[in-house]
């Protein structure tokens, strides 16, 4: 078993945050009426994508009836519909939809993860839950660092969680720490033999942002395309 597969397995077995454990399992028992005939994953959702990814996309946390149901990041919900459509359109995904773990989707040089791996009530993890889960992100960054060249962070919560994780994983983050903004781009230096990478900010693909037009498909494609070029994927 390779190191990243082992990490994903250990993430899926985590029970460190009692509130999140109770919530994700309650959702998996009660279900949404539209999915009443399905067996929910109901566990922490690991990252998705190849172990030699050059680009990492960091979200917030799995959706209660999306990743918490299907067992894959941004899969089976409208946020995922927007994200994977954009990845497909910029040439980083094999298909424009992500509906189930066995749907044949492949990502090209891209991995998708989150700073919190359990679905939280009201889509709002606490700062304490974010800190508890950070060690998983640090380890994931460490395993990806031989190939990782760019990161796109979706939303301010993910940005706040990712910066300290990058420091722990060995990159040098400017001080004062850069503020989140859509379209932000920050060059990070590696420490020792660690290579540098480019960090990008993007509004989250939440329904609130996409339905109101705060984040349009064109805006998302622009950030992903720029990050892909920085990672030498295009």
């Amino acid at each position: 078993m390779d190191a990243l597969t082992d990490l994903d397995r250990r993430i899926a077995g985590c029970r460190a945050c009692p509130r999140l454990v109770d919530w994700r399992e309650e959702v998996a028992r009660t279900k949404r009426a539209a999915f009443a005939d399905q067996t929910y994953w109901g566990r922490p959702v690991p990252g998705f994508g190849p172990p030699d990814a050059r680009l990492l996309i960091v979200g917030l946390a799995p959706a209660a009836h999306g990743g918490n149901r299907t067992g894959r990041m941004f899969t089976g919900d409208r946020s995922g519909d927007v994200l994977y459509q954009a990845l497909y359109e910029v040439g980083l995904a094999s298909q424009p939809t992500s509906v189930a773990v066995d749907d044949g989707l492949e990502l090209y040089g891209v991995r998708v993860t989150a700073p919190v791996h359990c679905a939280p009530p009201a889509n709002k993890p606490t700062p304490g839950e974010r800190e508890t889960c950070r060690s998983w992100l640090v380890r994931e960054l460490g395993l990806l660092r031989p190939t990782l060249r760019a990161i796109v962070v979706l939303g301010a919560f993910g940005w706040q969680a990712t910066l300290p994780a990058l420091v722990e994983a060995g990159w040098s983050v400017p001080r004062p720490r850069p503020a989140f903004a859509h379209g932000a781009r920050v060059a990070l230096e590696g420490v020792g033999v660690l290579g540098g990478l480019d960090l990008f900010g993007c509004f989250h693909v939440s329904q609130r942002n996409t339905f109101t037009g705060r984040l349009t498909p064109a805006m998302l494609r622009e950030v992903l395309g720029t990050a892909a070029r920085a990672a030498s994927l295009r």
Side-chain angles (χ1 to χ4, degrees):
M1 183 180 295
D2 64 71
L4 195 56
T5 299
D6 181 60
L7 177 66
D8 290 344
R9 179 187 58 80
R10 289 189 288 135
I11 287 172
C14 182
R15 301 183 65 84
C17 300
R19 186 183 79 112
L20 298 186
V21 171
D22 290 346
W23 171 253
R24 78 189 192 212
E25 293 181 353
E26 175 64 19
V27 169
R29 283 191 298 269
T30 57
K31 306 180 182 180
R32 177 174 283 173
F35 309 121
D37 61 340
Q38 298 185 20
T39 299
Y40 275 52
W41 172 254
R43 291 186 278 166
V45 181
F48 169 59
D52 60 348
R54 298 182 67 84
L55 171 61
L56 182 66
I57 298 173
V58 181
L60 192 161
H65 302 283
N68 189 57
R69 172 173 60 88
T70 63
R72 189 165 75 191
M73 285 289 177
F74 285 106
T75 297
D77 60 36
R78 291 183 177 178
S79 294
D81 293 344
V82 174
L83 176 62
Y84 288 112
Q85 177 73 42
L87 287 170
Y88 174 75
E89 289 176 353
V90 298
L92 299 178
S94 63
Q95 61 192 45
T97 58
S98 180
V99 296
V101 294
D102 58 355
D103 62 7
L105 174 64
E106 294 182 52
L107 299 182
Y108 304 137
V110 180
R111 185 169 171 86
V112 181
T113 193
V116 174
H117 287 273
C118 291
N123 292 322
K124 292 181 180 179
T126 67
E129 290 161 350
R130 179 185 64 198
E131 297 307 305
T132 298
C133 211
R134 187 169 71 203
S135 63
W136 296 123
L137 181 57
V138 172
R139 294 175 203 179
E140 191 168 12
L141 289 167
L143 293 173
L144 292 173
R145 64 187 175 192
T147 57
L148 190 63
R149 296 297 177 266
I151 299 176
V152 173
V153 181
L154 303 174
F157 182 96
W159 186 269
Q160 293 165 0
T162 301
L163 291 177
L166 284 164
V167 173
E168 288 189 38
W171 280 276
S172 178
V173 174
R175 288 200 174 269
R177 287 183 176 175
F180 172 78
H182 179 83
R185 180 173 183 173
V186 182
L188 304 182
E189 295 182 358
V191 177
V193 299
L194 191 63
L197 57 79
D198 288 307
L199 179 68
F200 296 85
C202 179
F203 289 141
H204 195 278
V205 289
S206 66
Q207 291 186 49
R208 176 181 297 177
N209 286 340
T210 58
F211 283 7
T212 62
R214 188 179 192 218
L215 177 66
T216 66
M219 291 167 63
L220 179 58
R221 288 194 303 269
E222 182 178 5
V223 173
L224 293 175
T226 302
R229 288 189 291 272
S232 299
L233 289 172
R234 296 180 64 185

